[in-house]
mmCIF file of all heavy atoms in Angstrom:
data_model
loop_
_atom_site.group_PDB
_atom_site.id
_atom_site.type_symbol
_atom_site.label_atom_id
_atom_site.label_comp_id
_atom_site.label_asym_id
_atom_site.label_seq_id
_atom_site.Cartn_x
_atom_site.Cartn_y
_atom_site.Cartn_z
ATOM 1 N N PRO N 140 5.503 88.556 -161.033
ATOM 2 C CA PRO N 140 5.756 88.637 -162.482
ATOM 3 C C PRO N 140 4.652 89.404 -163.199
ATOM 4 O O PRO N 140 3.551 89.573 -162.680
ATOM 5 C CB PRO N 140 5.769 87.182 -162.915
ATOM 6 C CG PRO N 140 4.814 86.528 -161.973
ATOM 7 C CD PRO N 140 5.005 87.239 -160.658
ATOM 8 N N ILE N 143 4.567 88.499 -170.161
ATOM 9 C CA ILE N 143 5.600 88.801 -171.158
ATOM 10 C C ILE N 143 5.345 87.973 -172.419
ATOM 11 O O ILE N 143 4.598 87.004 -172.380
ATOM 12 C CB ILE N 143 7.025 88.538 -170.604
ATOM 13 C CG1 ILE N 143 7.157 87.105 -170.088
ATOM 14 C CG2 ILE N 143 7.363 89.545 -169.510
ATOM 15 C CD1 ILE N 143 8.547 86.747 -169.569
ATOM 16 N N ILE N 145 5.950 85.365 -175.506
ATOM 17 C CA ILE N 145 6.539 84.037 -175.666
ATOM 18 C C ILE N 145 6.431 83.625 -177.125
ATOM 19 O O ILE N 145 5.410 83.865 -177.762
ATOM 20 C CB ILE N 145 5.780 82.973 -174.827
ATOM 21 C CG1 ILE N 145 5.667 83.404 -173.356
ATOM 22 C CG2 ILE N 145 6.409 81.600 -174.964
ATOM 23 C CD1 ILE N 145 6.963 83.555 -172.646
ATOM 24 N N VAL N 154 11.742 84.216 -175.113
ATOM 25 C CA VAL N 154 11.040 85.052 -174.142
ATOM 26 C C VAL N 154 11.361 86.496 -174.479
ATOM 27 O O VAL N 154 12.527 86.857 -174.623
ATOM 28 C CB VAL N 154 11.505 84.717 -172.712
ATOM 29 C CG1 VAL N 154 10.881 85.667 -171.697
ATOM 30 C CG2 VAL N 154 11.187 83.275 -172.371
ATOM 31 N N TYR N 164 15.844 80.168 -174.888
ATOM 32 C CA TYR N 164 16.175 78.957 -174.139
ATOM 33 C C TYR N 164 16.261 77.862 -175.188
ATOM 34 O O TYR N 164 15.257 77.447 -175.767
ATOM 35 C CB TYR N 164 15.091 78.663 -173.089
ATOM 36 C CG TYR N 164 15.099 79.652 -171.944
ATOM 37 C CD1 TYR N 164 14.291 80.767 -171.957
ATOM 38 C CD2 TYR N 164 15.943 79.457 -170.853
ATOM 39 C CE1 TYR N 164 14.301 81.683 -170.914
ATOM 40 C CE2 TYR N 164 15.974 80.365 -169.804
ATOM 41 C CZ TYR N 164 15.144 81.468 -169.840
ATOM 42 O OH TYR N 164 15.157 82.365 -168.799
ATOM 43 N N VAL N 175 10.368 68.750 -161.680
ATOM 44 C CA VAL N 175 11.769 68.913 -162.102
ATOM 45 C C VAL N 175 12.541 69.357 -160.862
ATOM 46 O O VAL N 175 12.106 70.257 -160.150
ATOM 47 C CB VAL N 175 11.913 69.989 -163.205
ATOM 48 C CG1 VAL N 175 13.383 70.268 -163.494
ATOM 49 C CG2 VAL N 175 11.187 69.565 -164.468
ATOM 50 N N GLU N 182 20.563 77.772 -161.589
ATOM 51 C CA GLU N 182 19.487 78.748 -161.703
ATOM 52 C C GLU N 182 18.240 78.009 -162.173
ATOM 53 O O GLU N 182 18.319 77.131 -163.028
ATOM 54 C CB GLU N 182 19.848 79.823 -162.710
ATOM 55 C CG GLU N 182 20.999 80.699 -162.283
ATOM 56 C CD GLU N 182 21.348 81.747 -163.325
ATOM 57 O OE1 GLU N 182 20.521 82.035 -164.209
ATOM 58 O OE2 GLU N 182 22.455 82.280 -163.232
ATOM 59 N N THR N 183 17.086 78.388 -161.619
ATOM 60 C CA THR N 183 15.832 77.731 -161.962
ATOM 61 C C THR N 183 14.832 78.797 -162.382
ATOM 62 O O THR N 183 14.518 79.689 -161.597
ATOM 63 C CB THR N 183 15.292 76.945 -160.757
ATOM 64 O OG1 THR N 183 16.317 76.086 -160.249
ATOM 65 C CG2 THR N 183 14.074 76.117 -161.137
ATOM 66 N N HIS N 184 14.346 78.706 -163.619
ATOM 67 C CA HIS N 184 13.364 79.653 -164.150
ATOM 68 C C HIS N 184 12.109 78.876 -164.525
ATOM 69 O O HIS N 184 12.191 77.850 -165.198
ATOM 70 C CB HIS N 184 13.901 80.354 -165.397
ATOM 71 C CG HIS N 184 15.215 81.043 -165.190
ATOM 72 N ND1 HIS N 184 15.972 81.517 -166.232
ATOM 73 C CD2 HIS N 184 15.922 81.334 -164.062
ATOM 74 C CE1 HIS N 184 17.077 82.063 -165.761
ATOM 75 N NE2 HIS N 184 17.065 81.960 -164.456
ATOM 76 N N VAL N 185 10.951 79.367 -164.087
ATOM 77 C CA VAL N 185 9.677 78.715 -164.352
ATOM 78 C C VAL N 185 8.848 79.630 -165.258
ATOM 79 O O VAL N 185 8.644 80.802 -164.931
ATOM 80 C CB VAL N 185 8.902 78.437 -163.051
ATOM 81 C CG1 VAL N 185 7.578 77.751 -163.358
ATOM 82 C CG2 VAL N 185 9.733 77.606 -162.089
ATOM 83 N N LEU N 186 8.384 79.073 -166.374
ATOM 84 C CA LEU N 186 7.580 79.818 -167.330
ATOM 85 C C LEU N 186 6.250 79.091 -167.510
ATOM 86 O O LEU N 186 6.237 77.904 -167.820
ATOM 87 C CB LEU N 186 8.287 79.908 -168.682
ATOM 88 C CG LEU N 186 7.478 80.457 -169.853
ATOM 89 C CD1 LEU N 186 7.126 81.923 -169.636
ATOM 90 C CD2 LEU N 186 8.254 80.272 -171.155
ATOM 91 N N VAL N 187 5.151 79.813 -167.305
ATOM 92 C CA VAL N 187 3.810 79.263 -167.531
ATOM 93 C C VAL N 187 3.177 80.087 -168.636
ATOM 94 O O VAL N 187 3.041 81.308 -168.508
ATOM 95 C CB VAL N 187 2.948 79.309 -166.251
ATOM 96 C CG1 VAL N 187 1.568 78.740 -166.528
ATOM 97 C CG2 VAL N 187 3.619 78.556 -165.113
ATOM 98 N N THR N 188 2.794 79.423 -169.729
ATOM 99 C CA THR N 188 2.184 80.135 -170.846
ATOM 100 C C THR N 188 0.689 80.281 -170.627
ATOM 101 O O THR N 188 0.083 79.538 -169.862
ATOM 102 C CB THR N 188 2.406 79.411 -172.186
ATOM 103 O OG1 THR N 188 1.598 78.231 -172.213
ATOM 104 C CG2 THR N 188 3.868 79.068 -172.403
ATOM 105 N N GLY N 195 3.033 84.706 -171.358
ATOM 106 C CA GLY N 195 3.201 83.894 -170.170
ATOM 107 C C GLY N 195 3.783 84.705 -169.037
ATOM 108 O O GLY N 195 4.021 85.903 -169.164
ATOM 109 N N VAL N 196 3.974 84.035 -167.922
ATOM 110 C CA VAL N 196 4.617 84.640 -166.767
ATOM 111 C C VAL N 196 5.825 83.787 -166.398
ATOM 112 O O VAL N 196 5.780 82.566 -166.446
ATOM 113 C CB VAL N 196 3.653 84.780 -165.573
ATOM 114 C CG1 VAL N 196 2.660 85.911 -165.810
ATOM 115 C CG2 VAL N 196 2.913 83.503 -165.289
ATOM 116 N N MET N 197 6.914 84.485 -166.048
ATOM 117 C CA MET N 197 8.153 83.798 -165.696
ATOM 118 C C MET N 197 8.588 84.228 -164.308
ATOM 119 O O MET N 197 8.517 85.406 -163.973
ATOM 120 C CB MET N 197 9.261 84.109 -166.705
ATOM 121 C CG MET N 197 10.573 83.443 -166.328
ATOM 122 S SD MET N 197 11.832 83.662 -167.583
ATOM 123 C CE MET N 197 11.480 82.226 -168.575
ATOM 124 N N THR N 198 9.038 83.252 -163.538
ATOM 125 C CA THR N 198 9.538 83.522 -162.191
ATOM 126 C C THR N 198 10.869 82.795 -162.000
ATOM 127 O O THR N 198 11.005 81.629 -162.371
ATOM 128 C CB THR N 198 8.525 83.053 -161.124
ATOM 129 O OG1 THR N 198 7.343 83.848 -161.251
ATOM 130 C CG2 THR N 198 9.068 83.200 -159.730
ATOM 131 N N TYR N 199 11.832 83.527 -161.437
ATOM 132 C CA TYR N 199 13.104 82.934 -161.053
ATOM 133 C C TYR N 199 12.948 82.412 -159.628
ATOM 134 O O TYR N 199 12.388 83.094 -158.765
ATOM 135 C CB TYR N 199 14.225 83.958 -161.090
ATOM 136 C CG TYR N 199 14.582 84.509 -162.459
ATOM 137 C CD1 TYR N 199 15.474 85.570 -162.558
ATOM 138 C CD2 TYR N 199 14.070 83.981 -163.622
ATOM 139 C CE1 TYR N 199 15.826 86.080 -163.787
ATOM 140 C CE2 TYR N 199 14.420 84.489 -164.857
ATOM 141 C CZ TYR N 199 15.300 85.550 -164.934
ATOM 142 O OH TYR N 199 15.654 86.068 -166.151
ATOM 143 N N VAL N 200 13.467 81.212 -159.386
ATOM 144 C CA VAL N 200 13.393 80.601 -158.062
ATOM 145 C C VAL N 200 14.739 80.767 -157.367
ATOM 146 O O VAL N 200 15.772 80.347 -157.899
ATOM 147 C CB VAL N 200 13.022 79.104 -158.167
ATOM 148 C CG1 VAL N 200 12.943 78.485 -156.770
ATOM 149 C CG2 VAL N 200 11.719 78.925 -158.919
ATOM 150 N N ASN N 201 14.715 81.412 -156.213
ATOM 151 C CA ASN N 201 15.918 81.610 -155.392
ATOM 152 C C ASN N 201 17.061 82.268 -156.147
ATOM 153 O O ASN N 201 18.225 81.900 -155.979
ATOM 154 C CB ASN N 201 16.370 80.293 -154.745
ATOM 155 C CG ASN N 201 15.418 79.845 -153.665
ATOM 156 O OD1 ASN N 201 14.704 80.637 -153.081
ATOM 157 N ND2 ASN N 201 15.372 78.559 -153.407
ATOM 158 N N VAL N 215 9.871 89.884 -165.179
ATOM 159 C CA VAL N 215 10.156 88.592 -164.563
ATOM 160 C C VAL N 215 9.942 88.698 -163.051
ATOM 161 O O VAL N 215 10.302 89.697 -162.435
ATOM 162 C CB VAL N 215 11.590 88.127 -164.869
ATOM 163 C CG1 VAL N 215 11.951 86.861 -164.092
ATOM 164 C CG2 VAL N 215 11.771 87.914 -166.359
ATOM 165 N N GLY N 216 9.358 87.665 -162.474
ATOM 166 C CA GLY N 216 9.170 87.628 -161.031
ATOM 167 C C GLY N 216 10.277 86.838 -160.349
ATOM 168 O O GLY N 216 11.131 86.227 -161.004
ATOM 169 N N ARG N 217 10.258 86.888 -159.037
ATOM 170 C CA ARG N 217 11.213 86.084 -158.262
ATOM 171 C C ARG N 217 10.515 85.628 -156.991
ATOM 172 O O ARG N 217 9.752 86.359 -156.394
ATOM 173 C CB ARG N 217 12.436 86.902 -157.868
ATOM 174 C CG ARG N 217 13.325 86.116 -156.919
ATOM 175 C CD ARG N 217 14.600 86.791 -156.460
ATOM 176 N NE ARG N 217 14.438 88.162 -156.126
ATOM 177 C CZ ARG N 217 15.310 89.115 -156.485
ATOM 178 N NH1 ARG N 217 16.383 88.818 -157.180
ATOM 179 N NH2 ARG N 217 15.107 90.360 -156.151
ATOM 180 N N VAL N 218 10.792 84.393 -156.621
ATOM 181 C CA VAL N 218 10.327 83.867 -155.354
ATOM 182 C C VAL N 218 11.530 83.293 -154.629
ATOM 183 O O VAL N 218 12.370 82.615 -155.230
ATOM 184 C CB VAL N 218 9.195 82.804 -155.523
ATOM 185 C CG1 VAL N 218 9.692 81.585 -156.299
ATOM 186 C CG2 VAL N 218 8.615 82.413 -154.190
ATOM 187 N N VAL N 228 3.477 79.304 -156.640
ATOM 188 C CA VAL N 228 3.808 80.553 -157.314
ATOM 189 C C VAL N 228 2.787 80.939 -158.369
ATOM 190 O O VAL N 228 2.648 82.117 -158.704
ATOM 191 C CB VAL N 228 5.231 80.530 -157.908
ATOM 192 C CG1 VAL N 228 6.267 80.478 -156.799
ATOM 193 C CG2 VAL N 228 5.422 79.383 -158.875
ATOM 194 N N PHE N 229 2.097 79.971 -158.934
ATOM 195 C CA PHE N 229 0.994 80.163 -159.864
ATOM 196 C C PHE N 229 0.003 79.046 -159.540
ATOM 197 O O PHE N 229 0.401 78.016 -158.996
ATOM 198 C CB PHE N 229 1.432 79.989 -161.337
ATOM 199 C CG PHE N 229 2.620 80.795 -161.730
ATOM 200 C CD1 PHE N 229 3.830 80.179 -162.052
ATOM 201 C CD2 PHE N 229 2.563 82.184 -161.810
ATOM 202 C CE1 PHE N 229 4.932 80.909 -162.414
ATOM 203 C CE2 PHE N 229 3.668 82.918 -162.170
ATOM 204 C CZ PHE N 229 4.853 82.289 -162.474
ATOM 205 N N GLY N 231 -1.495 75.776 -159.688
ATOM 206 C CA GLY N 231 -1.007 74.538 -160.291
ATOM 207 C C GLY N 231 0.502 74.398 -160.374
ATOM 208 O O GLY N 231 1.002 73.415 -160.920
ATOM 209 N N VAL N 232 1.255 75.373 -159.831
ATOM 210 C CA VAL N 232 2.723 75.317 -159.884
ATOM 211 C C VAL N 232 3.289 75.624 -158.495
ATOM 212 O O VAL N 232 3.101 76.708 -157.956
ATOM 213 C CB VAL N 232 3.310 76.332 -160.892
ATOM 214 C CG1 VAL N 232 4.833 76.218 -160.935
ATOM 215 C CG2 VAL N 232 2.710 76.099 -162.275
ATOM 216 N N ILE N 233 3.980 74.626 -157.934
ATOM 217 C CA ILE N 233 4.550 74.729 -156.598
ATOM 218 C C ILE N 233 6.066 74.632 -156.706
ATOM 219 O O ILE N 233 6.587 73.775 -157.415
ATOM 220 C CB ILE N 233 4.014 73.594 -155.697
ATOM 221 C CG1 ILE N 233 2.500 73.717 -155.567
ATOM 222 C CG2 ILE N 233 4.707 73.601 -154.337
ATOM 223 C CD1 ILE N 233 1.837 72.508 -154.937
ATOM 224 N N VAL N 234 6.765 75.522 -155.994
ATOM 225 C CA VAL N 234 8.220 75.423 -155.928
ATOM 226 C C VAL N 234 8.626 75.170 -154.483
ATOM 227 O O VAL N 234 7.939 75.608 -153.548
ATOM 228 C CB VAL N 234 8.923 76.691 -156.475
ATOM 229 C CG1 VAL N 234 8.600 76.895 -157.937
ATOM 230 C CG2 VAL N 234 8.580 77.929 -155.680
ATOM 231 N N GLY N 235 9.726 74.462 -154.322
ATOM 232 C CA GLY N 235 10.223 74.154 -153.002
ATOM 233 C C GLY N 235 11.743 74.048 -153.016
ATOM 234 O O GLY N 235 12.373 74.100 -154.071
ATOM 235 N N ASN N 241 16.382 73.262 -155.914
ATOM 236 C CA ASN N 241 15.062 73.791 -156.196
ATOM 237 C C ASN N 241 14.237 72.706 -156.879
ATOM 238 O O ASN N 241 14.742 72.016 -157.767
ATOM 239 C CB ASN N 241 15.151 75.009 -157.133
ATOM 240 C CG ASN N 241 15.871 76.171 -156.492
ATOM 241 O OD1 ASN N 241 15.759 76.403 -155.289
ATOM 242 N ND2 ASN N 241 16.614 76.919 -157.284
ATOM 243 N N GLU N 242 12.985 72.576 -156.462
ATOM 244 C CA GLU N 242 12.077 71.621 -157.094
ATOM 245 C C GLU N 242 10.841 72.364 -157.574
ATOM 246 O O GLU N 242 10.302 73.214 -156.869
ATOM 247 C CB GLU N 242 11.662 70.529 -156.104
ATOM 248 C CG GLU N 242 10.717 69.516 -156.740
ATOM 249 C CD GLU N 242 10.235 68.453 -155.773
ATOM 250 O OE1 GLU N 242 10.113 68.734 -154.566
ATOM 251 O OE2 GLU N 242 9.949 67.337 -156.243
ATOM 252 N N VAL N 243 10.403 72.030 -158.781
ATOM 253 C CA VAL N 243 9.191 72.592 -159.353
ATOM 254 C C VAL N 243 8.236 71.430 -159.589
ATOM 255 O O VAL N 243 8.576 70.492 -160.294
ATOM 256 C CB VAL N 243 9.470 73.338 -160.677
ATOM 257 C CG1 VAL N 243 8.183 73.904 -161.253
ATOM 258 C CG2 VAL N 243 10.516 74.423 -160.486
ATOM 259 N N VAL N 244 7.061 71.509 -158.974
ATOM 260 C CA VAL N 244 6.021 70.493 -159.132
ATOM 261 C C VAL N 244 4.834 71.194 -159.783
ATOM 262 O O VAL N 244 4.430 72.272 -159.326
ATOM 263 C CB VAL N 244 5.587 69.894 -157.774
ATOM 264 C CG1 VAL N 244 4.529 68.826 -157.969
ATOM 265 C CG2 VAL N 244 6.785 69.353 -157.013
ATOM 266 N N ALA N 245 4.293 70.612 -160.850
ATOM 267 C CA ALA N 245 3.222 71.307 -161.555
ATOM 268 C C ALA N 245 2.210 70.352 -162.154
ATOM 269 O O ALA N 245 2.523 69.206 -162.466
ATOM 270 C CB ALA N 245 3.811 72.188 -162.656
ATOM 271 N N ALA N 250 -2.732 74.688 -164.165
ATOM 272 C CA ALA N 250 -2.040 75.928 -164.524
ATOM 273 C C ALA N 250 -2.714 76.635 -165.685
ATOM 274 O O ALA N 250 -2.585 77.857 -165.838
ATOM 275 C CB ALA N 250 -0.575 75.633 -164.856
ATOM 276 N N ARG N 253 1.004 75.759 -170.695
ATOM 277 C CA ARG N 253 2.179 74.892 -170.642
ATOM 278 C C ARG N 253 3.125 75.381 -169.548
ATOM 279 O O ARG N 253 3.229 76.585 -169.303
ATOM 280 C CB ARG N 253 2.862 74.889 -172.005
ATOM 281 C CG ARG N 253 1.931 74.271 -173.056
ATOM 282 C CD ARG N 253 2.460 74.377 -174.448
ATOM 283 N NE ARG N 253 3.552 73.435 -174.677
ATOM 284 C CZ ARG N 253 4.122 73.259 -175.858
ATOM 285 N NH1 ARG N 253 3.707 73.949 -176.910
ATOM 286 N NH2 ARG N 253 5.099 72.394 -176.008
ATOM 287 N N VAL N 254 3.800 74.426 -168.915
ATOM 288 C CA VAL N 254 4.712 74.743 -167.819
ATOM 289 C C VAL N 254 6.116 74.306 -168.211
ATOM 290 O O VAL N 254 6.375 73.121 -168.395
ATOM 291 C CB VAL N 254 4.288 74.047 -166.504
ATOM 292 C CG1 VAL N 254 5.270 74.379 -165.386
ATOM 293 C CG2 VAL N 254 2.864 74.420 -166.117
ATOM 294 N N PHE N 255 6.999 75.294 -168.343
ATOM 295 C CA PHE N 255 8.392 75.037 -168.696
ATOM 296 C C PHE N 255 9.279 75.361 -167.503
ATOM 297 O O PHE N 255 9.023 76.301 -166.749
ATOM 298 C CB PHE N 255 8.833 75.918 -169.871
ATOM 299 C CG PHE N 255 8.079 75.636 -171.145
ATOM 300 C CD1 PHE N 255 7.004 76.414 -171.519
ATOM 301 C CD2 PHE N 255 8.453 74.584 -171.963
ATOM 302 C CE1 PHE N 255 6.303 76.163 -172.699
ATOM 303 C CE2 PHE N 255 7.775 74.318 -173.141
ATOM 304 C CZ PHE N 255 6.691 75.107 -173.508
ATOM 305 N N VAL N 256 10.355 74.574 -167.360
ATOM 306 C CA VAL N 256 11.356 74.814 -166.332
ATOM 307 C C VAL N 256 12.712 74.825 -167.022
ATOM 308 O O VAL N 256 13.053 73.874 -167.731
ATOM 309 C CB VAL N 256 11.316 73.726 -165.229
ATOM 310 C CG1 VAL N 256 12.377 74.009 -164.172
ATOM 311 C CG2 VAL N 256 9.931 73.617 -164.607
ATOM 312 N N PHE N 257 13.447 75.897 -166.810
ATOM 313 C CA PHE N 257 14.778 76.030 -167.391
ATOM 314 C C PHE N 257 15.787 76.009 -166.248
ATOM 315 O O PHE N 257 15.643 76.752 -165.274
ATOM 316 C CB PHE N 257 14.895 77.328 -168.193
ATOM 317 C CG PHE N 257 13.811 77.479 -169.231
ATOM 318 C CD1 PHE N 257 12.782 78.380 -169.070
ATOM 319 C CD2 PHE N 257 13.818 76.672 -170.363
ATOM 320 C CE1 PHE N 257 11.785 78.507 -170.010
ATOM 321 C CE2 PHE N 257 12.805 76.783 -171.319
ATOM 322 C CZ PHE N 257 11.786 77.710 -171.137
ATOM 323 N N VAL N 258 16.779 75.128 -166.359
ATOM 324 C CA VAL N 258 17.783 74.950 -165.323
ATOM 325 C C VAL N 258 19.137 75.184 -165.967
ATOM 326 O O VAL N 258 19.461 74.560 -166.985
ATOM 327 C CB VAL N 258 17.696 73.511 -164.745
ATOM 328 C CG1 VAL N 258 18.783 73.285 -163.711
ATOM 329 C CG2 VAL N 258 16.315 73.244 -164.162
ATOM 330 N N PHE N 267 12.928 71.841 -169.766
ATOM 331 C CA PHE N 267 11.960 70.789 -169.471
ATOM 332 C C PHE N 267 10.549 71.346 -169.605
ATOM 333 O O PHE N 267 10.319 72.528 -169.353
ATOM 334 C CB PHE N 267 12.148 70.267 -168.037
ATOM 335 C CG PHE N 267 13.550 69.830 -167.756
ATOM 336 C CD1 PHE N 267 14.485 70.717 -167.227
ATOM 337 C CD2 PHE N 267 13.953 68.538 -168.038
ATOM 338 C CE1 PHE N 267 15.793 70.315 -166.987
ATOM 339 C CE2 PHE N 267 15.260 68.139 -167.799
ATOM 340 C CZ PHE N 267 16.184 69.033 -167.276
ATOM 341 N N ILE N 269 6.830 70.258 -168.082
ATOM 342 C CA ILE N 269 6.040 69.363 -167.263
ATOM 343 C C ILE N 269 4.724 69.165 -167.991
ATOM 344 O O ILE N 269 3.934 70.097 -168.122
ATOM 345 C CB ILE N 269 5.847 69.923 -165.837
ATOM 346 C CG1 ILE N 269 7.207 70.114 -165.163
ATOM 347 C CG2 ILE N 269 4.959 68.978 -165.024
ATOM 348 C CD1 ILE N 269 7.152 70.725 -163.781
#
Side-chain angles (χ1 to χ4, degrees):
I143 55 178
I145 306 299
V154 175
Y164 290 94
V175 173
E182 294 179 18
T183 308
H184 305 168
V185 180
L186 170 66
V187 180
T188 72
V196 286
M197 178 174 271
T198 295
Y199 294 172
V200 180
N201 289 336
V215 173
R217 173 179 42 223
V218 63
V228 293
F229 309 113
V232 181
I233 298 168
V234 298
N241 295 325
E242 180 183 30
V243 180
V244 181
R253 296 173 74 175
V254 179
F255 297 98
V256 180
F257 307 107
V258 177
F267 306 92
I269 300 177

